């Protein structure tokens, strides 16, 4: 579903992402881990077509982000770190607008919006103005916006940041449901970034750990925590080792 | 380009739920009313003065088109220098400040969808302003007999100037994330454009070619003929070129976000 091929991004002299490759299959939920500034957001932005890679390319649902950018973008639902909301719009008109620019056919507009609101628990908020919603509900609108066109791939940048524990639990459950849906619903492939380790343990089956722009770990969660190691230890060890190497070189 | 309508529609709605649109519209209407009354009264005084002086020759030269409508429309284009930047300042700047730019650029839209959508939203507003302005000369038709075609030509000039200002405002808004900066920037560009004929008169470089070019570049030059009722393709082409040029610049500016 997602294939990153030697993705790199340079800003002048600084390399934000260096030669990152990975593949994610249908229905997988992958946790993107790493300290701040490791290149998680930049990698995600390249996958969504917001930033062009300096080098390398990526395939989203078999569409090359350079060769067929419109089809690739159509296949992605993206929740950026800062929620892309128009505060003056109501939840429903906002989601209808997003559905329209995501190429949802006119006939299916209403039902797509209803379905997205239902999955994100927004049925009673349809007429509320987004600017007046609480942080938790705004986060849900952000998530509804990402799934309104029923994309094959979901890319979520820190989906639970700023939420209270109860809301975090709800959003995590929602993400799990999106990857293993009931009959008749689309199975989404999910990449989510976070630096909250328990979050990865709660929803992801596979972990990609980034540090200083490089991919340092890419393994199923079970394998990583085998032998009693905690994700915490792995995170600290891998990112620290990278620091030592960087200083040595 | 099938999404131009979605973008424009959202933008127009957004303008009408914010106070900006209402402030601009009502201020514009008030200023228009004030200027219109001032021009009509000035006209009235001249008529009375010429009558008292028994200057029938001058009296016969006075007419509503030259001495009220043309002056009124011209002064309204000066008001557009302020009104249009206020309407266009948020078009792209707010998008960046909201973080919604990321939504637009990761959607299956082309950059032209976004740029043209924004431009048309502004264009709809300019047409609204044109309607307000047009209502005042329309009053004169009830009490006098101005030439309708000349009046329409003048209004066309006002709308074309407005559309050019929108294209410039859209461009300025695409350069920054601050609405205030966008306002000042577009006002600065418009003001320079407005002053170009005066600059050409100074003839600083001493080259006739440059003077002609500066005069051609200014909206004022082309507006004058339209106000006189001369709808020349040369002028229509000028406005088309200006609008296209600034929209192409806007496209490049929006696209550059991706390449930074």
């Amino acid at each position: 579903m997602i294939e990153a091929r030697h993705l790199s991004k340079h800003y002048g002299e600084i390399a934000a992402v260096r030669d990152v490759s990975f593949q994610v299959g249908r229905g997988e939920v992958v946790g993107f881990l790493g300290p701040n500034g490791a290149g998680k957001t930049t990698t995600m932005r390249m996958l969504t077509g917001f930033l062009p890679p300096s080098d390398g390319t990526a395939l989203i649902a078999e569409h090359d982000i350079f060769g067929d950018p419109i089809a690739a973008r159509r296949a992605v639902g993206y929740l950026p770190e800062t929620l892309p909301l128009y505060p003056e719009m109501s939840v429903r008109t906002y989601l209808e607008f997003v559905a329209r620019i995501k190429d949802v056919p006119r006939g299916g507009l209403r039902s797509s919006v209803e379905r997205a609101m239902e999955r994100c628990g927004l049925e009673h908020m349809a007429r509320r103005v987004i600017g007046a919603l609480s942080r938790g509900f705004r986060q849900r609108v952000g998530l509804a916006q990402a799934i309104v066109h029923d994309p094959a791939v979901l890319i979520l940048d820190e989906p639970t940041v700023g939420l209270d524990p109860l809301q975090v639990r709800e959003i995590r459950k929602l993400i799990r449901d999106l990857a293993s849906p009931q009959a008749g619903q689309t199975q989404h492939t999910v990449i989510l970034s976070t630096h909250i380790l328990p979050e990865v343990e709660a929803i992801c089956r596979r972990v990609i750990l980034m540090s200083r722009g490089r991919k340092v770990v890419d393994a199923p969660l079970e394998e990583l925590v085998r032998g009693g190691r905690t994700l915490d230890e792995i995170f600290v060890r891998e990112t620290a080792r990278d620091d030592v190497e960087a200083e040595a070189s | 380009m099938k999404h131009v309508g979605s973008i424009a529609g959202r933008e127009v709605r957004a303008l009408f739920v914010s106070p900006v649109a209402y402030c601009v519209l009502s201020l514009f209407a008030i200023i228009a009313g004030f200027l219109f009354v001032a021009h009509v009264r000035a006209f009235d005084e001249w008529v009375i003065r010429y009558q008292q002086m028994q200057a029938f020759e001058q009296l016969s030269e006075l007419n509503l088109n030259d001495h009220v409508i043309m002056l009124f429309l011209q002064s309204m284009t000066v008001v557009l220098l302020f009104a249009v930047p206020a309407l266009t300042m948020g078009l792209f700047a707010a998008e960046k400040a909201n973080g919604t730019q990321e939504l637009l650029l990761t959607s299956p839209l082309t950059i032209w969808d976004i740029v043209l959508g924004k431009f048309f939203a502004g264009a709809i507003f300019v047409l609204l302003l044109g309607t307000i302005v047009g209502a005042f000369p329309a009053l004169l038709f009830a009490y006098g007999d101005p030439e309708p075609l000349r009046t329409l030509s003048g209004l066309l000039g006002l709308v074309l100037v407005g559309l050019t200002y929108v294209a410039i405002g859209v461009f300025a808004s695409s350069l920054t994330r601050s609405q205030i900066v966008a306002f000042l920037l577009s006002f600065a560009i418009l003001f320079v454009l407005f002053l170009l004929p005066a600059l050409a008169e100074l003839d600083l470089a001493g080259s006739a070619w440059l003077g002609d070019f500066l005069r051609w570049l200014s909206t004022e030059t082309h507006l004058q003929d339209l106000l006189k009722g001369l709808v020349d393709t040369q002028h229509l082409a000028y406005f088309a070129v200006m609008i296209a040029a600034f929209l192409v610049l806007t496209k490049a500016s929006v696209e550059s976000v991706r390449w930074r």
Side-chain angles (χ1 to χ4, degrees):
Chain A
M1 268 292 125
I2 305 169
E3 190 182 342
R5 291 179 180 165
H6 307 289
L7 285 176
S8 296
K9 182 74 191 175
H10 309 283
Y11 294 100
E13 290 286 286
I14 304 154
V17 173
R18 287 183 264 190
D19 195 25
V20 169
S21 299
F22 57 85
Q23 282 187 21
V24 183
R26 180 181 292 275
E28 270 195 273
V29 181
V30 176
F32 235 49
L33 272 177
N36 288 327
K40 297 176 304 234
T41 297
T42 307
T43 306
M44 293 180 133
R45 285 180 159 180
M46 288 193 278
L47 292 175
T48 58
F50 181 67
L51 283 178
S54 313
D55 220 336
T57 188
L59 301 182
I60 304 288
E62 269 105 71
H63 303 288
D64 190 292
I65 55 166
F66 281 117
D68 194 355
I70 299 282
R73 280 185 243 149
R74 199 178 289 134
V76 178
Y78 176 38
L79 177 67
E81 211 173 345
T82 36
L83 297 174
L85 305 176
Y86 295 102
E88 79 281 354
M89 292 177 102
S90 78
V91 172
R92 178 176 277 127
T93 49
Y94 169 71
L95 291 175
E96 279 173 358
F97 168 71
V98 176
R100 233 175 281 133
I101 62 170
K102 300 278 183 188
D103 283 340
V104 173
R106 206 164 270 273
L109 209 69
R110 262 272 137 92
S111 57
S112 301
V113 169
E114 293 302 326
R115 197 203 53 221
M117 287 197 296
E118 195 193 304
R119 290 197 92 166
C120 299
L122 289 164
E123 302 98 317
H124 305 297
M125 297 289 161
R127 302 173 70 129
R128 295 278 291 273
V129 172
I130 291 172
L133 294 178
S134 67
R135 170 79 222 199
F137 275 112
R138 262 188 276 166
Q139 193 77 23
R140 289 189 202 200
V141 177
L143 210 55
Q145 161 279 133
I147 63 169
V148 72
H149 56 304
D150 214 11
V153 171
L154 273 177
I155 295 181
L156 313 173
D157 202 349
E158 309 209 353
T160 56
V161 77
L163 299 181
D164 68 42
L166 219 63
Q167 294 166 328
V168 168
R169 218 155 74 185
E170 282 172 25
I171 296 282
R172 284 179 189 168
K173 181 176 177 308
L174 182 59
I175 295 168
R176 266 201 307 267
D177 289 348
L178 288 169
S180 45
Q182 293 154 2
Q185 294 172 332
T186 315
Q187 186 173 33
H188 301 272
T189 303
V190 185
I191 292 190
L192 70 97
S193 81
T194 180
H195 39 222
I196 311 165
L197 299 175
E199 185 151 297
V200 178
E201 283 160 349
I203 29 188
C204 303
R205 267 162 278 171
R206 181 173 150 202
V207 173
I208 293 178
L209 180 63
M210 289 190 69
S211 177
R212 295 175 171 270
R214 284 181 205 284
K215 185 177 88 169
V216 289
V217 173
D218 181 356
L221 187 63
E222 290 173 26
E223 217 169 274
L224 283 176
V225 295
R226 198 177 294 156
R229 288 190 300 177
T230 65
L231 205 50
D232 212 38
E233 287 164 10
I234 297 163
F235 183 96
V236 171
R237 199 189 57 207
E238 291 298 333
T239 53
R241 188 174 68 189
D242 217 52
D243 279 345
V244 175
E245 273 172 21
E247 269 160 41
S249 64
Chain B
M1 303 245 209
K2 56 184 169 168
H3 290 300
V4 174
S6 315
I7 303 282
R10 200 211 69 77
E11 210 58 64
V12 170
R13 272 197 196 182
L15 271 173
F16 274 105
V17 293
S18 78
V20 175
Y22 296 102
C23 285
V24 171
L25 280 177
S26 41
L27 256 175
F28 195 77
I30 291 167
I31 295 173
F34 180 78
L35 288 172
F36 182 73
V37 170
H39 286 302
V40 170
R41 286 192 61 178
F43 179 76
D44 219 30
E45 271 167 32
W46 279 111
V47 171
I48 293 168
R49 202 169 300 167
Y50 284 146
Q51 273 173 344
Q52 282 168 347
M53 287 154 55
Q54 308 254 317
F56 296 114
E57 206 172 304
Q58 283 93 330
L59 195 60
S60 68
E61 272 169 20
L62 276 182
N63 69 69
L64 287 171
N65 274 98
D66 280 336
H67 300 99
V68 178
I69 296 174
M70 198 174 142
L71 295 174
F72 168 64
L73 291 178
Q74 188 161 22
S75 44
M76 285 320 289
T77 58
V78 179
V79 183
L80 286 182
L81 288 177
F82 302 90
V84 171
L87 292 171
T88 56
M89 63 185 183
L91 287 175
F92 278 102
E95 211 83 64
K96 287 181 207 173
N98 279 343
T100 44
Q101 177 178 245
E102 222 163 328
L103 167 68
L104 295 184
L105 292 179
T106 57
S107 293
L109 302 169
T110 62
I111 306 267
W112 277 121
D113 279 321
I114 304 171
V115 172
L116 289 179
K118 303 275 181 192
F119 172 73
F120 284 128
I124 288 169
F125 229 92
V126 163
L127 289 178
L128 210 60
L129 295 180
T131 317
I132 295 177
V133 173
F136 291 99
L139 281 174
L140 291 178
F141 283 88
Y143 299 101
D145 53 347
E147 293 170 50
L149 285 179
R150 254 194 86 177
T151 310
L152 281 179
S153 156
L155 264 180
L156 176 72
L158 179 98
V159 168
L160 287 174
V161 168
L163 293 180
T164 308
Y165 287 4
V166 168
I168 293 169
V170 166
F171 171 63
S173 184
S174 76
L175 294 176
T176 168
R177 56 186 304 130
S178 151
Q179 300 204 27
I180 293 166
V181 173
F183 177 86
L184 293 175
L185 195 61
S186 44
F187 178 69
I189 301 175
L190 296 182
F191 199 60
V192 168
L193 214 55
F194 180 75
L195 286 182
L196 280 181
L199 208 66
E201 291 309 317
L202 290 178
D203 199 21
L204 291 174
S207 101
W209 179 87
L210 187 68
D212 284 344
F213 176 69
L214 291 183
R215 262 186 289 270
W216 178 86
L217 205 58
S218 172
T219 47
E220 279 305 291
T221 320
H222 304 271
L223 177 68
Q224 287 309 319
D225 274 358
L226 285 164
L227 289 175
K228 288 180 198 140
L230 294 169
V231 186
D232 194 325
T233 40
Q234 171 205 334
H235 302 310
L236 301 182
Y238 161 82
F239 287 110
V241 165
M242 287 298 271
I243 291 168
F246 276 99
L247 292 184
V248 167
L249 283 176
T250 310
K251 186 202 171 232
S253 147
V254 175
E255 217 160 32
S256 76
V257 176
R258 290 214 166 116
W259 302 102
R260 248 171 243 155

